Amino acid sequence: IVGPNLYWLLTTAHVKEKMNSFLKREGRVIEALITDPKARHSHKAWHSTMLTSGEYTHLKHLRRSIQAFQELRNQHGQRLDIRLAPHIPLGAWFVDPDGRDPLLVLTPIVSFGHKSDERPQLMFRQSQHPAAYRYYWSNLHELAFRDLSRRLLDESNTVTRFEKYAGPIGTFVGKA
């Protein structure tokens, strides 16, 4: 799951309950990527580009999301892997990425408003658009789970330091 703060996901009761239920099953893991709260340039970008009602602040929602992730992490431990990156320009949900025909839901965010129902979504299965699926999977997975990001919580529940970035962000992995 990728998004600037994933606030809706973490603060909507029925969605949070489904996440809890999912994580209680054996072998289930959730990997997520959100904006690093220390990335001031990202918060300024969201503030200047989002259509807001005046109440919205990206950093406020990000902090609430981090608290909710910490609560989930306390319940489920290592089955919840949350990473932080300098800027997240879109939302992406990879549904069952290890399955036979994974699903990807992409949500552009900039200038479409801060509520999920105000944004368009693009949804497709790997079998429908294999090159596009591989492109988003490889690049977002590279960003999230390689060297550019840092973990929200390590095993001792403390924020870890940035790791050294080891490769280009736009690298395409796999055949087109």
Side-chain angles (χ1 to χ4, degrees), residues 7-167:
Y7 179 77
W8 177 84
L9 175 83
L10 294 161
T11 59
T12 304
H14 73 278
V15 175
K16 196 171 177 181
E17 179 52 41
K18 289 202 181 275
M19 286 177 60
N20 270 316
S21 176
F22 176 85
L23 287 167
K24 286 178 184 175
R25 290 185 229 144
E26 185 64 34
R28 298 293 177 114
V29 174
I30 293 178
E31 297 173 326
L33 179 67
I34 59 176
T35 307
D36 190 327
K38 294 180 180 180
R40 291 189 179 125
H41 64 280
S42 184
H43 311 307
K44 288 179 184 178
W46 285 120
H47 183 71
S48 65
T49 59
M50 295 290 281
L51 302 172
T52 66
S53 63
E55 296 287 319
Y56 174 82
T57 66
H58 172 69
L59 189 55
K60 181 171 116 181
H61 282 191
L62 180 60
R63 286 181 178 146
R64 286 186 183 163
S65 296
I66 287 172
Q67 288 174 345
F69 271 131
Q70 288 170 329
E71 291 168 12
L72 280 171
R73 180 69 185 265
N74 289 338
Q75 293 173 1
H76 301 288
Q78 298 298 321
R79 292 150 58 85
L80 185 63
D81 188 1
I82 310 304
R83 304 291 177 114
L84 306 173
H87 185 69
I88 308 294
L90 58 95
W93 293 62
F94 293 92
V95 180
D96 199 14
D98 297 322
R100 281 188 16 231
D101 195 16
L103 177 71
L104 172 57
V105 180
L106 289 174
T107 306
I109 297 174
V110 176
S111 298
F112 289 110
H114 70 280
K115 294 181 180 175
S116 296
D117 62 353
E118 296 173 349
R119 300 183 204 131
Q121 293 182 335
L122 172 65
M123 179 172 37
F124 58 90
R125 294 203 169 274
Q126 183 180 20
S127 62
Q128 295 170 310
H129 299 284
Y133 183 90
R134 282 192 305 268
Y135 172 81
Y136 285 104
W137 173 258
S138 64
N139 283 291
L140 291 171
H141 202 265
E142 174 92 11
L143 176 66
F145 301 102
R146 298 295 190 283
D147 294 325
L148 179 61
S149 67
R150 64 185 180 107
R151 286 180 189 264
L152 174 61
L153 300 170
D154 66 12
E155 291 72 28
S156 63
N157 277 354
T158 59
V159 176
T160 61
R161 64 174 177 76
F162 272 105
E163 297 174 350
K164 184 178 177 185
Y165 179 56

